[in-house]
Amino acid sequence: MSEIKKIKNLKEFSTSADRFEGANLLCPGCAHSIIVREVLNATNDDLILAASTGCLEVCTAVYPYTSWDASWIHIGFENGSTAVAGAEAMYKALKTKGRLKQPERTPKFVAFGGDGASYDIGFQWISGCMERNHDMMYIVLDNEVYANTGGQRSSSTPIGSSATTTPAGSISYGETKNKKDMMGIMAAHHIPYAAQVSPNKWKDMVKKIQKGFATEGAVFINAVSPCTTEWKFDPKNTMHLADLATDSLVFPLYEVIDGREYNITYRPKNIIPVEEYLAAQGRFKHLFKDEYKYLIKEWQERVDANWAYLQRREEAKV
Amino acid sequence: MATREVISTGNELAAKAAIDAGCMFFGGYPLTPSSEVMHVISDLLPKKGGTAIQMEDEIAGISAVIGAAMVGKRALTATSGPGMSLKAEQLGLAQMAEVPLVCVNVMRGGPSTGLPTRVSQGDILQSKNPSHGDYKSITLCAGSLAECYTEVVRAFNIADRFMQPVIVLLDETIGHMHGKADIPTVEDVEAGIVPRKRFDGAPEDYLPYGCEHDEPATLNPMYEGYRYHFTGLHHDEHGFPTEEIETCRKLIQRLEDKVELHKDEIESYEEFMMDDAEVMIVAYGSVSLAAKEAIRSLRAEGIKAGLFRPITIWPSPAEKMKEYADKIEKVLVVELNIAQFHSEVQRATARLDIDGLFKVNGRPISPYEIVTKVKEL
């Protein structure tokens, strides 16, 4: 096994060997590039990467430029996970037969996908990879919307959010379904490691990514990625929004080991009301009308119930 | 026929046409450059009492549409090339089980992810045989903003008449084109709706697939007391799976004949300055707009060119093309792919000397390019 990269401080971390260049076409204030950089900078090992069709793929490799200083596969909308699984399986086969030309190198296999590619169209493919327990990491850049194709809802879009295919208006308050519990579903595959991360909790994130790389078997990471365009907030507030998501416990940071052992890795000192998180985004603007205010109350109750559930799971150790 | 003037985009008109034609269900998935169809219909359909669902993928989109259509409602899905590739299996099921539905395909560059935001007409052959097996596809192709509306309306009527999917091809240029269009009034559209055939006798006498050799199945809406079996397997007149030799042969032959022997009900084309034409340009979709412009320039220079524009692409207006090709020596097919419809013109006219002007770089063909090519002939 390769050595775990030592990271002292944020300055060193953010300026260390860059394998993902900042010059790309992502929106100003997009969290995708920050998350990707944090993942890539967490290791010195070789990387074999894939990105499903989505904002990340479209914006980071436009001829004649590329942001990636690593092997990188762009594949269909649904099968980033499977392409990496294929590469990993082949690597394993060559290794077993002793036919690797550079056996001392220990590449890591990582697939990135948006929530559309992961929660929706690529769902069964990820499930297959987790079930077969490939030695790979699947990372969802979860911005809760199809940001690349015009802001349509995905099954990650939370209730009450206005999207182009669930528009809020005279007869609807927007999305009517709850966000899919992807972490729960992935944990139910009893994979060795699953975790939720946030770009501004970088220490927590690096720890989890490194733990994931050190794990043998399938790893699932769900990263909250505030989308300035579709969540409708000022681009300078991306990190603030990421903090609001974690501090309101809308997006709690925790990990699940072997599908059973839950560890909460971040407990906000001051838990903020969900209302504050919603108020910071244009996509929830209509919820503050009198007729929809009950939805905010329901939101808070749901978040509280989920937090209580996580704590019970953590205590129970089962 | 009374018309009304609207300012709109092709995608928006396709969505509005579906609603005016009585479509009550939309199932789809975001896919550039067709997404606006879903955006518009998500907004308008609930106001009409219908349902628009964004599904988890393309396959689920068309599957939900099949379900909705089986309940007797008109149902629509919209996508682009990569989505068509995913929907292919279910299009085959809808052919086999005879489910009427409309699938709008706003073509972009392919294969694979291709050129998501650029124009192409690369799905012509795909729309002829999207799925495996033998059947006869019906594909219409809009060549103007107004036709984004009228062809979707027509597609719904044809789907219900022939009990099978109908594909409406738009291309990125037409889909995103924004301008003025004269379209029929809602009253006219509603008056033109031909309801799906249904069986009103005793439920025990009901044979959904027990029809004449050239007729479609009679599938009564679900939940109305008529039970029948629905399958993608070869089936008998009740709908039950069978491997009986003659039943299987008859079924597949009927899927072919119900369209082939009634082509005249589907065939549609436009002839533009063809009366005295000495050069025939064959073009469809957005390319036909450039072709018309080119023909006007050519005529100003004394070259008698004309346009033959198929609106129903499959089955193609083969007899008419042959009739023209028998008397016109110079025939040029202009399209945004490599010889996809060109091969059909060759087949229909039984001529191998048909010229072609093809472009596959995601950019439209300009009138100037066509003029230059015609002069070279």
Side-chain angles (χ1 to χ4, degrees):
Chain A
M1 182 162 300
S2 56
E3 235 175 74
I4 290 176
K5 181 175 172 178
K6 288 197 178 60
I7 288 154
K8 273 186 239 152
N9 55 46
L10 182 59
K11 192 179 175 192
E12 190 200 281
F13 177 49
S14 57
T15 53
S16 67
D18 247 346
R19 286 194 277 187
F20 185 79
E21 291 296 333
N24 54 52
L25 300 180
L26 290 161
C27 301
C30 178
H32 275 21
S33 54
I34 303 165
I35 297 166
V36 171
R37 187 185 289 235
E38 284 176 72
V39 171
L40 268 52
N41 280 6
T43 179
N44 286 328
D45 284 332
D46 294 306
L47 288 162
I48 291 169
L49 307 167
S52 300
T53 301
C55 290
L56 181 70
E57 164 272 315
V58 164
C59 298
T60 58
V62 180
Y63 182 80
Y65 306 108
T66 176
S67 293
W68 304 84
D69 186 15
S71 309
W72 185 75
I73 308 164
H74 165 226
I75 197 161
F77 204 169
E78 62 276 33
N79 47 356
S81 54
T82 315
V84 163
E88 185 269 345
M90 202 59 232
Y91 168 79
K92 214 178 244 173
L94 291 173
K95 193 176 163 187
T96 311
K97 295 199 167 192
R99 284 166 58 185
L100 282 175
K101 289 195 174 141
Q102 298 167 305
E104 70 287 354
R105 297 174 85 163
T106 50
K108 300 285 179 272
F109 298 85
V110 184
F112 290 100
D115 50 288
S118 312
Y119 283 60
D120 287 347
I121 195 168
F123 183 67
Q124 65 170 337
W125 315 62
I126 301 170
S127 178
C129 291
M130 299 294 131
E131 183 255 324
R132 291 187 300 270
N133 203 22
H134 288 279
D135 191 7
M136 61 175 277
M137 182 182 283
Y138 190 88
I139 301 179
V140 184
L141 302 167
D142 188 0
N143 57 16
E144 304 185 331
V145 72
Y146 284 83
N148 186 41
T149 51
Q152 295 88 359
R153 57 86 54 178
S154 78
S155 53
S156 170
T157 304
I159 202 163
S161 174
S162 183
T164 48
T165 48
T166 52
S170 54
I171 53 167
S172 168
Y173 54 78
E175 174 63 60
T176 55
K177 315 285 183 305
N178 277 322
K179 182 177 167 125
K180 192 186 265 182
D181 178 10
M182 194 70 166
M183 277 291 285
I185 298 166
M186 287 302 133
H189 288 74
H190 294 182
I191 49 171
Y193 191 68
Q196 290 212 137
V197 298
S198 162
N200 209 28
K201 299 284 176 278
W202 69 274
K203 277 185 184 168
D204 177 78
M205 177 142 169
V206 168
K207 222 162 134 185
K208 284 171 178 167
I209 298 297
Q210 292 189 333
K211 202 164 174 180
F213 282 144
T215 301
E216 216 169 291
V219 173
F220 177 80
I221 302 285
N222 201 30
V224 63
S225 181
C227 173
T228 161
T229 309
E230 299 300 340
W231 293 18
K232 298 182 175 63
F233 60 81
D234 192 325
K236 70 177 187 234
N237 291 336
T238 306
M239 287 300 120
H240 177 55
L241 258 296
D243 282 347
L244 287 179
T246 49
D247 289 359
S248 63
L249 301 174
V250 167
F251 200 90
L253 302 184
Y254 63 102
E255 58 185 14
V256 188
I257 293 157
D258 295 332
R260 296 190 198 283
E261 192 189 326
Y262 279 61
N263 298 319
I264 295 171
T265 57
Y266 172 69
R267 288 168 207 278
K269 281 193 193 98
N270 299 309
I271 296 174
I272 61 161
V274 171
E275 192 172 342
E276 217 173 289
Y277 169 71
L278 301 178
Q281 304 168 52
R283 62 176 173 155
F284 296 118
K285 196 173 60 185
H286 53 285
L287 296 187
F288 291 86
K289 287 182 188 158
D290 283 342
E291 67 261 41
Y292 293 140
K293 278 204 169 143
Y294 71 97
L295 286 165
I296 300 179
K297 196 168 150 268
E298 284 178 13
W299 252 97
Q300 187 66 56
E301 286 165 4
R302 241 184 346 265
V303 167
D304 290 346
N306 187 45
W307 183 239
Y309 170 78
L310 284 178
Q311 285 178 311
R312 282 204 305 279
R313 285 297 304 260
E314 186 186 45
E315 272 169 41
K317 298 273 179 230
V318 285
Chain B
M1 195 187 261
T3 59
R4 55 191 160 128
E5 204 172 277
V6 294
I7 294 178
S8 193
T9 66
N11 283 347
E12 203 175 325
L13 283 169
K16 285 180 175 163
I19 288 172
D20 293 346
C23 170
M24 291 301 275
F25 184 87
F26 179 89
Y29 189 71
L31 202 73
T32 309
S34 74
S35 298
E36 294 84 4
V37 178
M38 179 160 63
H39 296 174
V40 173
I41 220 160
S42 306
D43 186 31
L44 298 182
L45 206 47
K47 290 175 185 160
K48 275 267 197 175
T51 306
I53 311 182
Q54 184 192 323
M55 304 298 290
E56 67 272 27
D57 61 24
E58 295 286 357
I59 304 171
I62 194 168
S63 302
V65 164
I66 288 174
M70 292 304 292
V71 183
K73 300 294 181 200
R74 288 188 159 184
L76 173 79
T77 188
T79 187
S80 185
M84 288 299 286
S85 300
L86 286 166
K87 287 183 195 299
E89 185 192 21
Q90 301 313 314
L91 282 168
L93 171 74
Q95 293 285 3
M96 186 58 145
E98 298 181 63
V99 186
L101 60 90
V102 174
C103 181
V104 172
N105 173 5
V106 188
M107 292 183 283
R108 73 189 214 188
S112 189
T113 314
L115 287 165
T117 58
R118 297 283 180 188
V119 67
S120 156
Q121 295 178 322
D123 305 349
I124 298 298
L125 287 178
Q126 182 197 41
S127 66
K128 186 183 185 189
N129 286 92
S131 170
H132 57 278
D134 283 294
Y135 52 86
K136 200 98 186 166
S137 270
I138 301 177
T139 302
L140 318 178
C141 180
S144 65
L145 276 181
E147 277 184 8
C148 293
Y149 186 91
T150 54
E151 288 311 299
V152 169
V153 170
R154 195 160 78 93
F156 274 107
N157 288 329
I158 292 174
D160 276 352
R161 160 70 180 89
F162 290 93
M163 297 298 283
Q164 69 172 51
V166 175
I167 296 168
V168 181
L169 295 177
L170 273 55
D171 54 54
E172 191 274 338
T173 301
I174 289 268
H176 285 161
M177 188 181 285
H178 191 262
K180 195 179 83 174
D182 284 318
I183 58 172
T185 60
V186 180
E187 293 74 34
D188 279 351
V189 169
E190 283 170 353
I193 291 175
V194 187
R196 212 179 285 179
K197 197 167 62 166
R198 57 174 295 147
F199 177 78
D200 290 316
E204 57 271 24
D205 299 332
Y206 178 45
L207 291 174
Y209 298 96
C211 35
E212 288 299 313
H213 71 99
D214 62 343
E215 281 300 311
T218 308
L219 301 186
N220 279 10
M222 287 172 170
Y223 316 132
E224 290 190 5
Y226 292 92
R227 285 181 59 185
Y228 55 95
H229 196 82
F230 176 89
T231 179
L233 289 158
H234 279 222
H235 45 268
D236 65 8
E237 55 194 18
H238 297 276
F240 283 111
T242 181
E243 289 189 358
E244 201 278 314
I245 298 167
E246 192 51 16
T247 311
C248 292
R249 185 197 66 78
K250 271 184 171 164
L251 169 66
I252 301 306
Q253 192 61 52
R254 185 171 64 76
L255 293 185
E256 172 88 10
D257 289 349
K258 71 174 179 179
V259 176
E260 183 60 33
L261 302 180
H262 297 278
K263 268 198 299 200
D264 52 325
E265 294 177 48
I266 311 164
E267 211 170 65
S268 175
Y269 51 81
E270 184 199 1
E271 295 150 296
F272 177 77
M273 299 193 179
M274 283 299 291
D275 291 341
D276 59 345
E278 287 163 5
V279 180
M280 174 166 78
I281 298 174
V282 179
Y284 50 88
S286 64
V287 175
S288 65
L289 299 172
K292 283 181 184 174
E293 192 62 37
I295 287 164
R296 284 188 204 102
S297 309
L298 286 164
R299 291 225 167 216
E301 293 182 46
I303 300 172
K304 287 182 181 166
L307 171 73
F308 183 82
R309 177 171 71 93
I311 301 171
T312 302
I313 296 275
W314 308 113
S316 77
E319 287 80 7
K320 197 71 198 173
M321 289 195 288
K322 170 124 180 63
E323 201 184 304
Y324 275 121
D326 283 348
K327 56 185 187 190
I328 299 174
E329 197 203 319
K330 290 174 181 174
V331 181
L332 173 71
V333 182
V334 187
E335 52 186 342
L336 292 171
N337 55 49
I338 299 179
Q340 294 199 12
F341 198 70
H342 179 264
S343 61
E344 173 63 13
V345 178
Q346 282 185 329
R347 185 198 69 83
T349 59
R351 274 177 58 179
L352 288 173
D353 61 343
I354 304 289
D355 276 290
L357 174 59
F358 312 125
K359 200 167 187 178
V360 285
N361 59 3
R363 269 54 171 189
I365 292 179
S366 70
Y368 174 75
E369 288 171 274
I370 301 173
V371 168
T372 312
K373 181 76 187 178
V374 168
K375 285 181 183 168
E376 283 169 10
L377 293 180

